[in-house]
């Protein structure tokens, strides 16, 4: 007879029950306290946790830092419940006082929890002192450490103290995020501090890109206010300089114009035209200072990893030949879709890219970066030799030396010359990780040109016509994108904010705006040079010859935003 293994025989069951009872009897008071406290924490039962704590105190059970932190966390999380707030505050401070009386040092979690209790009691000053004390106990502060004080002062309308907290946050190497910036924006608007409102709008622009509904409402409230309509400057020359210097999309010189603001919720066309005011949004570049810093960073890393003399020679050569509007990653283009039996390096693909850039930029040659080993192989074939010699004769080729990594060369050239970069390389390899730049993606968005070959026809995917980021125009208007909750970009809501005085005669022009066609055709038969817009749309090698725009990624040649 086969016994069911899942069926416990009576003697075994009795034995197991006895063992469990023995273990419970043998459990120490500390272990029992830990078990019960964990249960309270999981169920978020504050009253039960306080009872367990009081029992432990009455029996002189040893309580450690972890236990105190768990209790304080429960208390600080309960202050938002009106029925538990008083209990949480009373017992929270009592528990903290007990902890300090035992000589147990607090850590960041301890002080953050108590700071939340202090802020809930309306004592933002104490919350701030607790946040600053974290470093005294060898802990590193976190953003959550300063939240109680920052939000506490903002809710009290004390903008001066809120700015002081922000200054301390920045000094601690912590970065503010949207909720904190929105709180600072709101208290600044409430107190009519126009300069600070302007400052926080730009901080949101640089760190958040698309804002939440909460932030959008705060922004709308400011522009509807009387104080918002009073501020403005007239030095437009300085504004224009700021737009060019900062990479477009903002100038940072202060409010422009005078009068009431017209605030609308609208959409933006696929070409980047605002459906509310008809202004063309721009593709925002990194500013001059960031560009120079980026170029130096790439050069320094390259000099560490390449043969120093080789890369230094390239830097010197580039200084004397700084006239290119586009750099081509030759290996990336030549090896595109060549992973088949007879595949190799396609000189014809690379030449198509070179010729397309040449024809559509006013007969201006791009610069192809190619390893010399690859170039020597091409020179061995008579047909490809003619193509390479044409590039060489027109200064359109730079060959990198043996043992070098092409990536450093084409990336440095594109950054240094502030021009377009034709490559499908998404730049996620280890060498790009070394850069560690938080504006790398923004730079790529503005400068990288992707490409495809469909049935032998080249298509260049230029940078997008506009950046999904808060934009400030030369005229002083603002466009603010809201976070999108669906996949349809055309349904994204934007705040369109313009001066009322300049918009009285304007209606919604979204459906009547003429938008350029960026599908460009072969230019061989065109009358005069074909150009395409500073990196907008898709460029097809077989399209209408009447479109005339301009190819450049260079800031100095970019048309200023409308």
């Amino acid at each position: 007879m086969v016994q069911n293994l899942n069926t416990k025989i009576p003697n075994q069951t009795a034995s197991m029950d006895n063992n469990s009872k023995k273990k419970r009897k043998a459990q120490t008071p500390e272990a029992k306290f830990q078990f019960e406290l964990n249960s309270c924490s999981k169920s978020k039962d504050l009253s039960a946790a306080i009872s367990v704590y009081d029992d432990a105190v009455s029996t002189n059970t040893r309580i450690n830092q972890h236990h105190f932190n768990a209790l304080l966390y429960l208390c600080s999380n309960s202050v938002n419940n009106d029925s538990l707030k008083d209990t949480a505050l009373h017992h929270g401070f009592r528990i903290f006082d007990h902890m300090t009386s035992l000589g147990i040092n607090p850590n960041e979690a301890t002080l953050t929890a108590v700071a939340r209790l202090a802020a809930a009691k309306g004592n933002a000053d104490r919350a701030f002192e607790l946040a600053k004390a974290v470093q005294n106990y060898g802990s590193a502060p976190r953003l959550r450490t300063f939240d109680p004080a920052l939000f506490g002062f903002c809710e009290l309308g004390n903008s001066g103290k809120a700015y002081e907290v922000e200054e301390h946050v920045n000094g601690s190497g912590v970065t503010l995020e949207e909720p904190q910036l929105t709180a600072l924006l709101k208290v600044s608007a409430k107190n009519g501090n126009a300069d600070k409102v302007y400052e926080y709008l730009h901080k949101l622009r640089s760190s958040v890109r698309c804002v939440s509904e909460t932030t959008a409402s705060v922004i709308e409230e400011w522009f509807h206010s009387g104080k918002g309509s009073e501020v403005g400057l007239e030095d437009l020359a300085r504004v224009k300089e700021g737009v060019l210097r900062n990479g477009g999309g903002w100038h940072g010189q202060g409010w422009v114009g005078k009068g009431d603001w017209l605030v609308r919720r609208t959409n933006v066309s696929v070409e980047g035209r605002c459906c509310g005011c008809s202004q063309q949004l721009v593709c925002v570049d990194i500013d001059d200072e960031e560009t120079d810093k980026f170029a130096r960073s790439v050069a320094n890393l390259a000099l560490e990893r390449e043969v120093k003399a080789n890369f230094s020679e390239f830097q010197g050569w580039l200084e004397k030949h700084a006239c290119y509007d586009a750099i081509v990653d030759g290996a990336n283009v030549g090896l595109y879709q060549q992973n088949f039996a007879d595949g190799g390096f396609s000189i014809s693909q690379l030449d198509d890219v070179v010729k397309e850039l040449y024809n559509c930029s006013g007969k201006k040659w791009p610069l192809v970066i190619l390893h010399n080993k690859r170039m020597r192989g091409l020179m061995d074939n008579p047909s490809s030799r003619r193509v390479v010699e044409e590039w060489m004769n027109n200064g359109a080729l730079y060959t990198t030396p043996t043992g070098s990594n092409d990536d450093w060369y084409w990336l440095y050239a594109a950054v240094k010359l502030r021009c377009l970069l034709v490559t499908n390389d998404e730049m996620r390899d280890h060498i790009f990780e070394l850069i560690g730049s938080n504006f790398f993606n923004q730079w790529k968005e503005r400068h990288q040109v992707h490409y495809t070959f469909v049935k032998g026809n080249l298509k260049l995917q230029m940078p997008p016509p506009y950046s999904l980021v808060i934009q400030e125009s030369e005229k002083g208007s603002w466009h603010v994108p809201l976070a999108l909750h669906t996949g349809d970009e055309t349904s994204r809501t934007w705040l369109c904010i313009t001066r009322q005085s300049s918009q009285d005669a304007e209606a919604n022009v979204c459906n009547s705006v003429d938008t350029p066609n960026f599908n460009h055709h072969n230019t061989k038969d065109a009358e005069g040079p074909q150009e395409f817009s500073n990196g907008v749309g898709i460029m097809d090698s077989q399209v209408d010859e009447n479109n005339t725009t301009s190819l450049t990624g260079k800031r100095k040649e970019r048309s200023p935003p409308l």
Side-chain angles (χ1 to χ4, degrees), residues 345-357:
F345 186 92
S346 176
I347 187 69
S348 61
Q349 286 184 172
L350 184 52
D351 193 43
D352 283 348
V353 170
V354 171
K355 291 300 194 298
E356 191 73 1
L357 295 171

Side-chain angles (χ1 to χ4, degrees), residues 46 75-76 78-79 84-95 116-122:
L46 176 63
C75 290
S76 66
S78 300
V79 294
L84 294 175
K85 183 176 179 179
D86 290 341
T87 299
L89 290 174
H90 170 71
H91 290 289
F93 289 119
R94 180 171 72 91
I95 291 167
R116 289 172 181 164
L117 294 171
K121 199 173 182 179

Side-chain angles (χ1 to χ4, degrees), residues 40 43-51 71 74-75 78 84 87-88 91:
C40 295
S43 61
K44 298 180 181 179
D45 190 337
L46 176 63
S47 298
I50 297 301
S51 178
L71 290 161
L74 270 173
C75 290
S78 300
L84 294 175
T87 299
H91 290 289

Side-chain angles (χ1 to χ4, degrees), residues 23 30 117 274 362 528:
K23 285 182 179 179
E30 287 78 11
L117 294 171
C274 175

